[in-house]
Amino acid sequence: MKYDAEVKISLKKGMLNPEASTTQRALALLGYEVEGTATIKIIKFTLEEENEKLAMEEVDDMCQRLLCNPVIHDYEINITPSDA
């Protein structure tokens, strides 16, 4: 069965986020005041697996081994059956 996977990757609390800080400063220069700016990377793909549990385990392994650095990143996985 095919599954759509969505992985949201963000820096853990306390980690410096220069990209978010730069964005917040640039917005302030344009006259927009925002608080709590953060950056999140979203990766979407489709995979084939026997069931949703195995798909979740496979995507978690991908995150641990390649998609993020578990030391500095948090990640959230969402698995749904694919319409394709």
Side-chain angles (χ1 to χ4, degrees):
M1 184 170 195
K2 290 189 177 188
Y3 294 93
D4 292 327
E6 179 181 88
V7 180
K8 294 180 183 178
I9 302 169
S10 60
L11 287 172
K12 290 187 176 193
K13 286 196 181 273
M15 298 301 299
L16 294 178
N17 190 340
E19 183 179 5
S21 297
T22 300
T23 301
Q24 187 171 356
R25 282 193 304 276
L27 287 169
L29 288 172
L30 294 172
Y32 302 104
E33 292 301 321
V34 296
E35 293 183 25
T37 307
T39 55
I40 297 174
K41 183 188 300 184
I42 299 174
I43 302 171
K44 295 181 179 184
F45 54 92
T46 301
L47 70 151
E48 194 162 327
E49 195 51 80
E50 291 179 25
N51 58 53
E52 190 171 331
K53 182 178 183 258
L54 290 175
M56 178 65 86
E57 289 172 359
E58 188 170 343
V59 174
D60 185 61
D61 188 51
M62 291 176 191
C63 290
Q64 295 281 335
R65 298 177 66 195
L66 177 69
L67 299 178
C68 68
N69 178 346
V71 174
I72 63 169
H73 293 120
D74 286 327
Y75 60 92
E76 178 184 324
I77 301 169
N78 185 25
I79 302 287
T80 55
S82 178
D83 294 336

